[in-house]
Amino acid sequence: MDAPTERLWQKTPLIRSSALSAKTGCEVYLKIETFQTSGSFKGRGVSHFANNATKGYLESRGLLDTDTCVNGNSNSNSLLDTKELASRISSTDWNEWSIPCKTSHIPANKRPHLIIASGGNAGLSAASAARILGVNATIFLPAAQEGIKHLFLRHNTGIDGDARIEVNIGGENYFAALKAAEKFSDELGDRGILVPAYDDPLVWQGHSTLIQEISEQLPNGLKPDALLCSVGGAGLIAGLMVGCEVVPTWDQIPIIGVEPNGAACFYHSVLANRSSPPVNTSEQGDSSPLPPSLPAGARIVQEHVGDPFVGLLRGRTQKGEEHKSNEKNYGKVNIVHVGSITSRATSLGASSPAPAAVAMAIERKGLVKVVKITDERAMSASLGFADDHFVVTELACSATLVPAYTPSLLSSILSSTSRHPKAVSVNVHSHTGTNGTANGKGDATPKSKPVVVFIVCGGSKGSVEDLKQFRTLLGEWNDQDDEIWVDGERL
């Protein structure tokens, strides 16, 4: 009997947390992406992109084994807007997306070559995808990450044929590594597939499978009152927004994005588009005046949101008809570029978010709430989660969990969503819940407590030594320096 085909990513557990449910007074569920094949949620989107890009490359050369490769989107430009992307998801069997395209019948030197610049989790996901697909991969790391090279090279074990995974130090920082990756991709020509870490519709489509799984795993057709995730470049939260468009009535579920103060490009970008009057920006990023809440060295750039997402930026009349509300700014979104990353949560260290993700957030039917917290809050949540669940999380992951260990923050999130005109009704103490279930038949069972789902996103940068260091740092921390911001207001 043939061994079963290894999937590019796997369905991960959704567990009810007794400890956090007791602490918060909510029904708390945890989506554990720590157990993903690549070690984090990144394995979904990065692998989905790599798989479809591999299919597209082979198909263009008449090398695609159509008997073993399931249908997919080989060209991300074919994806239209959020609803069109959602319709493509709902019209295909998303359970098949993780089946890898077969390449073993092709000589290694004729297979595509994956290339990515990464400081960690996206690169590990590309290495994992390359191993399963049986293709070459080259990962370019910033110099500071040289100590984790062995995590990538372990994926050479069991790789098919002559394909190999190589790791190079691309420069002093991520931008130098990205330039090195782009140069190498140019040198390889058509064989070189430059894999995005977060800014691509196919990546978001892969991440959207989280919502599909959660909707099937929640008991008795429960529907969350809030979904919480950490945010860096906004690939994960974009995937959650896309996924919620697929499941009936989930497009109104509030989504909460949590970022550290020292790497909050999405937080500031969302607020820059909600400001009234709009922030005065130019194509070159000049602004007059800049909002006082922006970190030192930050700048705002009006960036174009090209097809397929430009339609998200159209104003809507009361009758729902779309029109170009501001011809001059049509198709543009304010993006904050932070000057430097000062957070220890380096996996969230994007200097600017995906523009289309910001566009989705500001135009989404359901509420998107942005939260900014200190590293120390994330450290405390990491320690608490280790005590409660015996799982070590890296700082970027534990940022998600801060509301679970900060009662005033969770209460603010839930109570403020109930007041928001776009959001569903939520009462922290007792409510009937949001109408509708995963199958669209409606939730007729009253819920005594809000249902909250945390995306425990996983990651490679967590260790017991880190927990020890967190305890030391928290012992020296003056909590008078603590800052928690929710949608531009300090808690």
Side-chain angles (χ1 to χ4, degrees):
M1 181 181 294
D2 293 336
T5 300
E6 183 177 2
R7 297 268 183 154
L8 288 162
W9 68 88
Q10 57 189 339
K11 191 172 185 177
T12 55
L14 179 78
I15 65 168
R16 180 186 180 275
S17 171
S18 299
L20 294 183
S21 294
K23 278 182 169 70
T24 63
C26 300
E27 288 294 305
V28 173
Y29 289 86
L30 307 171
K31 184 62 171 169
I32 310 292
E33 288 293 281
T34 308
F35 300 140
Q36 201 51 262
T37 304
S38 63
S40 77
F41 79 96
K42 291 272 190 182
R44 295 176 185 266
V46 168
S47 294
H48 189 54
F49 181 95
N51 199 27
N52 279 276
T54 296
K55 292 174 189 175
Y57 175 86
L58 298 180
E59 187 174 23
S60 68
R61 285 156 180 76
L63 298 173
L64 185 67
D65 184 345
T66 56
D67 291 334
T68 60
C69 287
V70 299
N71 293 327
N73 298 301
S74 59
N75 183 357
S76 62
N77 290 329
S78 66
L79 303 177
L80 302 177
D81 60 17
T82 313
K83 291 188 180 298
E84 173 65 14
L85 183 52
S87 71
R88 288 173 184 243
I89 296 172
S90 59
S91 65
T92 61
D93 186 354
W94 60 271
N95 284 296
E96 294 185 347
W97 292 354
S98 60
I99 299 175
C101 180
K102 184 177 180 181
T103 63
S104 58
H105 62 293
I106 304 168
N109 62 356
K110 291 187 178 181
R111 301 175 195 173
H113 192 124
L114 304 183
I115 305 161
I116 191 170
S118 170
N121 295 318
L124 284 169
S125 297
S128 174
R131 176 184 63 79
I132 296 170
L133 287 167
V135 301
N136 290 298
T138 301
I139 293 94
F140 289 86
L141 297 177
Q145 303 302 326
E146 186 168 9
I148 65 172
K149 285 176 68 173
H150 66 284
L151 297 177
F152 298 84
L153 297 175
R154 68 185 179 184
H155 287 287
N156 273 321
T157 303
I159 198 169
D160 179 62
D162 297 324
R164 287 289 179 269
I165 295 166
E166 296 182 355
V167 182
N168 297 327
I169 302 301
E172 288 300 313
N173 53 42
Y174 171 78
F175 298 103
L178 179 58
K179 287 187 178 295
E182 291 171 341
K183 179 181 178 182
F184 184 60
S185 178
D186 291 340
E187 292 172 355
L188 285 183
D190 291 345
R191 284 186 59 223
I193 295 174
L194 194 61
V195 180
Y198 59 86
D199 191 0
D200 190 273
L202 278 175
V203 174
W204 310 331
Q205 193 181 57
H207 295 336
S208 74
T209 58
L210 277 161
I211 297 297
Q212 302 277 0
E213 292 178 15
I214 292 169
S215 68
E216 293 182 352
Q217 292 170 319
L218 282 170
N220 304 319
L222 282 178
K223 175 181 170 182
D225 292 297
L227 294 162
L228 290 92
C229 69
S230 57
V231 183
L236 173 56
I237 198 167
L240 298 183
M241 287 188 282
V242 170
C244 283
E245 291 285 341
V246 180
V247 182
T249 76
W250 280 42
D251 58 345
Q252 296 188 30
I253 293 176
I255 299 177
I256 318 301
V258 185
E259 293 172 88
N261 286 339
C265 62
F266 182 75
Y267 175 93
H268 291 293
S269 293
V270 169
L271 294 186
N273 288 280
R274 290 178 179 168
S275 61
S276 181
V279 174
N280 179 24
T281 63
S282 73
E283 293 293 332
Q284 290 74 34
D286 299 327
S287 58
S288 178
L290 286 173
S293 60
L294 282 183
R299 61 193 178 97
I300 300 178
V301 179
Q302 273 196 338
E303 298 193 14
H304 285 274
V305 179
D307 293 331
F309 290 94
V310 67
L312 294 172
L313 300 182
R314 296 174 180 165
R316 288 169 172 79
T317 67
Q318 290 183 345
K319 294 181 180 179
E321 298 173 352
E322 297 181 350
H323 66 282
K324 296 182 180 181
S325 58
N326 188 329
E327 193 70 32
K328 180 180 178 181
N329 292 320
Y330 177 65
K332 298 176 183 177
V333 64
N334 292 330
I335 297 298
V336 172
H337 294 247
V338 297
S340 60
I341 304 300
T342 59
S343 172
R344 292 174 179 266
T346 55
S347 292
L348 300 179
S351 61
S352 61
V358 176
M360 284 191 279
I362 62 178
E363 291 294 338
R364 182 174 181 262
K365 184 176 182 180
L367 176 68
V368 174
K369 183 167 283 293
V370 289
V371 175
K372 191 172 63 161
I373 48 94
T374 58
D375 281 359
E376 286 79 9
R377 282 285 181 180
M379 292 178 194
S380 179
S382 185
L383 291 168
F385 194 69
D387 289 342
D388 289 335
H389 291 282
F390 312 105
V391 174
V392 176
T393 57
E394 69 164 88
L395 210 56
C397 179
S398 60
T400 312
L401 299 164
V402 167
Y405 292 94
T406 311
S408 60
L409 174 56
L410 185 61
S411 177
S412 172
I413 289 170
L414 293 177
S415 62
S416 61
T417 56
S418 69
R419 291 195 301 269
H420 195 281
K422 291 167 61 177
V424 294
S425 177
V426 176
N427 185 303
V428 177
H429 303 291
S430 178
H431 72 303
T432 59
T434 57
N435 292 325
T437 65
N439 59 20
K441 295 181 179 179
D443 185 358
T445 305
K447 295 180 292 185
S448 61
K449 302 175 182 177
V451 176
V452 183
V453 176
F454 292 84
I455 309 298
V456 183
C457 59
S460 61
K461 299 178 182 178
S463 69
V464 174
E465 289 302 314
D466 287 338
L467 296 182
K468 293 178 181 178
Q469 184 182 31
F470 294 167
R471 290 192 188 279
T472 301
L473 291 171
L474 287 173
E476 301 168 353
W477 180 49
N478 182 354
D479 61 8
Q480 296 298 315
D481 298 327
D482 188 31
E483 289 189 19
I484 298 176
W485 292 81
V486 181
D487 278 350
E489 296 184 4
R490 187 169 181 176
L491 190 64

